[in-house]
Amino acid sequence: MVVALASIAIGAKQLSIGEVWHGLFEASGTYGDVVVDDRISRTALGLLAGAALGLAGAVLQALTRNPLADPGLLGINAGASAAVVTAITFLGVTSLSSYVWFAFFGAAAVGAMVWFLGGSRGATPVRLALAGTAISAALYGYLQAVMIMDDAALNKMRFWTVGSLSSATDATITQVLPFLLAGTVLALALARPLNAMEMGDDTAKALGAHLNRTRVLAMLAATVLCGAATAACGPIVFVGLMVPHVVRSFTGPDLRWILPYAAVLSPVLLLGADVLGRIVARPAELQVGIVTAVIGGPVFIFLVRRRRTAQL
């Protein structure tokens, strides 16, 4: 609640408390009211995208049994980015509302490709991670080649590829909301079977878990969540990687606690980084993807070193 209110009240354009209050409850079309309306949409998208990225990261870490897993590991971010640059360069797409659909379907296509290349029904955590890494490398190579050859694509993509909430609109939120809700419900429903799978395939089978079905549904949940968030905001790093680690430090390994806490704390990180980006570069602003990377790197190193020290 605090970080959401800060996101509405604080921005690159300074408004008084009175102007913010007027924009919230007594809108009449003034400049301050318009700014507040934009910030409300931006805050709502930050809450939704942050929760989606945190849930996707926690699900992928459980699915791959890899504490360093995040949506980028399975190529979902790369798929969304490649689809958008293809739409801009070869199909002439220019509107953000169209980017959303291309990015989402690009992420979904790569998620399906990773699943099949990883062995489909015989998929294992290692195979999925290797398939995702290989596809990501190929797609980012394609992405860089197209952007270098096409200046127009480079100019349109440069802000989207670092991740930003600044282009949030009610239409964008409406487009991605059904996918985010469906992915959230599915991810939370998978807590128990993923708990069993984290103890190993043999133990999971003994406990009655359906391994292939759980892996398919976990891949689907992560792809839908990350694909929708990336489509709306661009690829934002470290949120899905770092927040599950923070949550795990006080909840323990039980995903029935990790997933809900990740869904709550990830928007705190994302919106907090967005507010910080508006303050430090006034009257301009830093994109939230840059701020999360700058904050996330050192914090993640600290968490890893603390975990290693505790194990020793």
Side-chain angles (χ1 to χ4, degrees), residues 145-191:
V146 172
M147 291 175 66
I148 288 173
M149 292 187 295
D150 189 336
D151 291 339
L154 175 61
N155 289 333
K156 293 175 182 176
M157 283 289 294
R158 58 179 179 167
F159 291 113
W160 189 85
T161 53
V162 298
S164 173
L165 299 175
S166 60
S167 299
T169 63
D170 292 341
T172 302
I173 295 171
T174 302
Q175 285 176 312
V176 300
L177 183 59
F179 298 103
L180 293 175
L181 291 177
T184 298
V185 171
L186 181 57
L188 293 175
L190 290 172

Side-chain angles (χ1 to χ4, degrees), residues 121-140:
R121 290 184 175 275
T124 64
V126 173
R127 286 181 179 180
L128 291 173
L130 289 175
T133 302
I135 291 174
S136 292
L139 289 177
Y140 278 124

Side-chain angles (χ1 to χ4, degrees), residues 151-264:
D151 291 339
L154 175 61
N155 289 333
K156 293 175 182 176
M157 283 289 294
R158 58 179 179 167
F159 291 113
W160 189 85
T161 53
V162 298
S164 173
L165 299 175
S166 60
S167 299
T169 63
D170 292 341
T172 302
I173 295 171
T174 302
Q175 285 176 312
V176 300
L177 183 59
F179 298 103
L180 293 175
L181 291 177
T184 298
V185 171
L186 181 57
L188 293 175
L190 290 172
R192 287 181 181 274
L194 286 174
N195 271 341
M197 288 181 60
E198 283 199 311
M199 293 185 286
D201 289 357
D202 292 338
T203 303
K205 288 180 181 178
L207 292 173
H210 299 276
L211 300 184
N212 289 328
R213 184 176 67 187
T214 301
R215 286 182 179 132
V216 170
L217 293 176
M219 277 289 297
L220 178 62
T223 300
V224 169
L225 287 168
C226 183
T230 303
C233 309
I236 297 176
V237 298
F238 274 112
V239 176
L241 174 64
M242 184 170 60
V243 173
H245 276 276
V246 176
V247 171
R248 205 174 286 113
S249 68
F250 61 84
T251 65
D254 191 343
L255 285 161
R256 292 174 298 175
W257 292 102
I258 292 174
L259 293 176
Y261 271 108
V264 173

Side-chain angles (χ1 to χ4, degrees), residues 26-37:
E26 303 173 18
S28 59
T30 66
Y31 172 77
D33 296 343
V34 173
V35 171
V36 170
D37 287 343

Side-chain angles (χ1 to χ4, degrees), residues 71-96:
L73 179 68
L74 297 187
I76 297 172
N77 287 345
S81 300
V84 170
V85 78
T86 299
I88 291 172
T89 304
F90 300 110
L91 301 178
V93 175
T94 58
S95 66
L96 180 63

